[in-house]
Amino acid sequence: MNATPSTVPSAPGTGRRPAGRFGLRLNLMRPDRPDLADRVTYIELFFDLIFVFALTQLSRHLYENQSWQGAAESVILVLALWWIWVHTTWVTNLLDPARLPVRGVVIGLSLVGLVVSVSIYESFGDRGFLFAVAYVTLQLGRTAFMALALALHDRALFRAFVRIFLWLAVAGLFWILGGLLPADYRLLLWATALGIEFVSAKLGFPVPGLGRATPGDGELSGPHIAERSALFVIIALGESFLVTGFAFVDQDVSVPGVLGLLLAFVSGAAMWWLYFDHSEYAGSKALTDAADPGRLARLAYTYVHAMLIAGIVLSSVGVKEILAHPDDPVIFSTAVAITGGPLLYLLGLALFRFVVAREVLISHVTGIALLLLALPLAFALSPLALGALGALMLTTVACWGTIVRVRNGTAEKEAG
């Protein structure tokens, strides 16, 4: 599915026009009623469950490969996972997940997603080819189904998904080739594959003879996109608690361990508060009111939210470091993991608020600045103390934002 809604063309009126002579005769598109078009369904949440395990394996990969190459590999993996999730979210934004064919396809995608998840940890090792095949199968299979589902019902969207399929097929060659070659070549080839997917989406998937997509919102449901993204933030936070819990139960009970567990909870609660106290509502309202919700959703939810998820994953790696080595000297990779997670999360949140509301919150800027200042000071602290500093920064920014919201008279029902 096209992960950039602005490249999904809209047709006049309802946007649904007959296309060709082949395809699924049953119209699987979401109904026009807001209560049905905007609703997040249980089958979508079932698909999300796959990513709980995927994110834990991603955290494990980053924790055990704390090097520049390991960081680059983790960036590739987190973007690939996010791209899979976003593509599928746009599919269920257009098609009705309550229809049996759509439900069956989502379950099939979940199975392939499970294969992706179990191969993540060794994706730059012995399971690189398995990861690549599963990833390409999921991307192409989903897009082919979308083309068949739309062929008889919307010419513009059908042509859009044909273009998307062709570009994903080109990228798929690099994924497969990378899976067959050693890790050093694999990193370059997979980065190229992701670059092809992201850049082609940005350009509207141009194909000679088929043109390119033009700005428009198609069948976009802003509230559905906002809620799906918010739920994935919950999924990521749940993953961080899962990683923390496994790390804690694998060691003897100690005072540093208990303190590390407490810091993990405080940090996770602060991240939840920062997003759901008002930012989630601000994003949903902005999509509802936007003249071009497709463009806004592309920026705020397709790209910026990837930073939020990456920040949560990196924070879980930092907590694991704290639990494993609470009093050891801080090295560079440890400092980056412990302070980088909260920093990346706050930076993503600040960009999100700017994109959806054109506002820059002093609390966010202050928290980012203080975390940047804490990085060179980290080597004078223990991992436990550094984690406490990060948790304090997140909590302070969260409380600051809520105080400002209350003083401005924003109602709690509008605050998520």
Side-chain angles (χ1 to χ4, degrees):
M1 172 61 197
N2 178 12
T4 57
S6 69
T7 62
V8 177
S10 59
T14 62
R16 301 177 183 179
R17 296 176 291 171
R21 295 184 178 181
F22 68 94
L24 302 180
R25 295 188 177 277
L26 183 64
N27 189 344
L28 300 177
M29 299 188 75
R30 279 199 180 233
D32 294 331
R33 288 172 47 190
D35 59 324
L36 297 178
D38 300 341
R39 184 171 68 94
V40 174
T41 58
Y42 295 122
I43 191 63
E44 294 174 87
L45 300 181
F46 177 83
F47 178 78
D48 288 354
L49 291 178
I50 300 300
F51 287 85
V52 177
F53 180 68
L55 291 174
T56 61
Q57 293 304 292
L58 180 60
S59 297
R60 180 186 175 194
H61 179 277
L62 181 56
Y63 177 75
E64 297 187 12
N65 295 275
Q66 296 187 42
S67 63
W68 289 112
Q69 180 168 335
E73 292 172 355
S74 297
V75 169
I76 295 296
L77 293 174
V78 73
L79 289 178
L81 283 179
W82 180 247
W83 210 231
I84 288 173
W85 183 86
V86 168
H87 278 219
T88 306
T89 295
W90 290 111
V91 167
T92 54
N93 188 268
L94 285 169
L95 301 186
D96 185 2
R99 308 302 294 267
L100 291 179
V102 180
R103 187 183 300 174
V105 166
V106 173
I107 290 176
L109 294 176
S110 301
L111 175 60
V112 183
L114 182 60
V115 177
V116 171
S117 300
V118 299
S119 57
I120 283 177
Y121 177 66
E122 289 291 339
S123 58
F124 283 89
D126 296 336
R127 295 183 179 178
F129 182 68
L130 178 63
F131 176 87
V133 169
Y135 178 89
V136 173
T137 299
L138 198 154
Q139 293 285 71
L140 294 182
R142 180 193 51 240
T143 308
F145 174 76
M146 283 297 297
L148 289 173
L150 296 167
L152 298 178
H153 306 285
D154 192 307
R155 184 182 303 275
L157 286 176
F158 166 72
R159 288 169 63 89
F161 279 97
V162 171
R163 293 192 299 267
I164 294 167
F165 183 91
L166 293 175
W167 276 104
L168 290 179
V170 172
L173 295 176
F174 289 88
W175 283 109
I176 299 298
L177 183 59
L180 292 171
L181 294 178
D184 291 341
Y185 300 99
R186 188 173 301 167
L187 181 62
L188 177 60
L189 288 167
W190 284 2
T192 302
L194 273 178
I196 291 172
E197 294 185 18
F198 275 80
V199 172
S200 63
K202 178 68 175 177
L203 297 177
F205 297 100
V207 174
L210 295 176
R212 71 173 68 200
T214 56
D217 58 5
E219 301 292 327
L220 176 68
S221 168
H224 175 265
I225 295 298
E227 185 176 356
R228 290 288 286 119
S229 300
L231 289 172
F232 197 82
V233 171
I234 292 288
I235 291 287
L237 289 173
E239 174 274 335
S240 69
F241 288 133
L242 193 63
V243 170
T244 300
F246 280 132
F248 181 79
V249 299
D250 282 343
Q251 62 184 29
D252 295 332
V253 177
S254 63
V255 172
V258 172
L259 291 176
L261 183 65
L262 180 61
L263 289 176
F265 177 80
V266 170
S267 296
M271 287 181 173
W272 179 92
W273 195 279
L274 282 163
Y275 186 86
F276 287 97
D277 183 60
H278 190 63
S279 294
E280 185 275 335
Y281 171 79
S284 181
K285 184 177 185 301
L287 275 183
T288 302
D289 298 341
D292 185 2
R295 175 183 175 277
L296 183 61
R298 182 186 74 240
L299 292 173
Y301 291 97
T302 299
Y303 298 121
V304 174
H305 264 62
M307 296 180 63
L308 297 175
I309 303 305
I312 295 173
V313 171
L314 186 56
S315 294
S316 68
V317 175
V319 170
K320 201 170 181 179
E321 280 286 351
I322 293 171
L323 291 173
H325 313 285
D327 300 316
D328 290 359
V330 172
I331 60 177
F332 180 74
S333 60
T334 302
V336 170
I338 296 176
T339 62
L343 177 61
L344 192 57
Y345 186 82
L346 282 180
L347 182 58
L349 200 63
L351 289 174
F352 176 71
R353 291 295 288 266
F354 179 77
V355 169
V356 300
R358 284 296 183 266
E359 60 184 3
V360 177
L361 301 187
I362 300 300
S363 57
H364 291 164
V365 175
T366 302
I368 292 169
L370 290 176
L371 284 169
L372 284 173
L373 291 174
L375 188 57
L377 301 176
F379 305 100
L381 303 174
S382 67
L384 185 62
L386 187 59
L389 184 61
L392 177 62
M393 291 297 101
L394 288 173
T395 304
T396 300
V397 175
C399 293
W400 187 347
T402 299
I403 291 171
V404 171
R405 176 182 64 77
V406 172
R407 286 183 175 177
N408 289 339
T410 304
E412 290 184 1
K413 66 180 181 180
E414 298 176 346

